Amino acid sequence: VSAYLSNNSSKLQFSSSDRWKTMGVFMSKTLDQNLKKQQEFMLLNSRLQLERQILMQNQMRERQMAMQIAWTREFLKYYGAFFGLASFALTAGALRNKNPRLFIPVIPLSFILAYQLDMGYGTLIYRMKAEAEGIMETEHDRLELPLGTPTFESTEKARRAQSTFFIEK
């Protein structure tokens, strides 16, 4: 009987050990699957966050451009009125005094008016965009920052130098 129990206890231990191994492999697979799902979720989440940041930055750029165009158009109303009055007064003065030199200021003022009209209602923005694209494609070296692209380390160094709230070792 004792031999039977000793044989069976070793079988029980072996059987119990197999159960633990099986359960460990199952738990390991489950943990690996959960880890993989978590990594996929984090990747998806970071991608979604990056897409949102890109969209937000583009919307901010578009709003700034719209404000610039609106400012130009508003400025053009006032400058156009000034130009019209100045041109009329200078032309009348030149004709009345028979002095064509009074008409000379109208020439540079007309260039400014033409620029503002082109900026507000013309194709200046499209030409500037095409020129900028050309610079980015063929003259990319002109766009490099003086000390290169900022890194995390350089940003942290500057932050620590300016920080008065936290003292880090």
Side-chain angles (χ1 to χ4, degrees):
V1 172
S2 65
Y4 176 75
L5 284 175
S6 66
N7 282 343
N8 281 343
S9 67
S10 67
K11 284 183 181 178
L12 287 174
Q13 285 177 340
F14 183 73
S15 172
S16 175
S17 174
D18 278 346
R19 243 186 267 147
W20 285 109
K21 286 181 185 175
T22 306
M23 197 161 94
V25 169
F26 175 74
M27 291 292 285
S28 177
K29 286 182 181 178
T30 303
L31 288 174
D32 287 343
Q33 289 172 350
N34 285 342
L35 180 63
K36 188 175 180 180
K37 286 180 184 178
Q38 184 71 21
Q39 287 173 340
E40 289 173 359
F41 174 75
M42 289 173 61
L43 181 64
L44 180 67
N45 194 26
S46 64
R47 181 182 176 123
L48 183 64
Q49 185 178 7
L50 180 62
E51 287 175 359
R52 285 180 178 153
Q53 286 176 348
I54 290 170
L55 286 172
M56 184 180 70
Q57 287 177 350
N58 191 46
Q59 286 178 353
M60 291 302 294
R61 183 194 58 79
E62 288 174 348
R63 290 175 185 180
Q64 289 172 344
M65 290 287 295
M67 284 297 292
Q68 180 67 38
I69 294 169
W71 182 89
T72 300
R73 290 178 179 177
E74 190 64 26
F75 176 79
L76 188 57
K77 292 174 188 174
Y78 290 97
Y79 185 77
F82 164 75
F83 179 78
L85 287 173
S87 296
F88 177 75
L90 291 170
T91 304
L95 293 175
R96 180 179 295 167
N97 296 333
K98 295 183 184 177
N99 186 359
R101 286 186 286 169
L102 290 174
F103 188 72
I104 292 175
V106 173
I107 296 169
L109 292 176
S110 64
F111 281 105
I112 296 170
L113 179 68
Y115 175 81
Q116 293 296 326
L117 280 168
D118 196 16
M119 180 72 163
Y121 297 101
T123 60
L124 179 64
I125 290 179
Y126 301 115
R127 294 191 314 267
M128 288 171 48
K129 180 183 170 191
E131 183 67 24
E133 288 171 352
I135 291 169
M136 290 179 76
E137 290 173 2
T138 60
E139 302 175 48
H140 193 71
D141 57 324
R142 291 180 182 246
L143 304 176
E144 293 176 9
L145 295 171
L147 295 175
T149 304
T151 63
F152 177 77
E153 290 79 18
S154 67
T155 305
E156 275 298 300
K157 183 179 177 183
R159 183 192 64 79
R160 285 185 187 133
Q162 292 179 357
S163 179
T164 58
F165 297 113
F166 300 106
I167 299 174
E168 297 178 20
K169 295 180 182 180

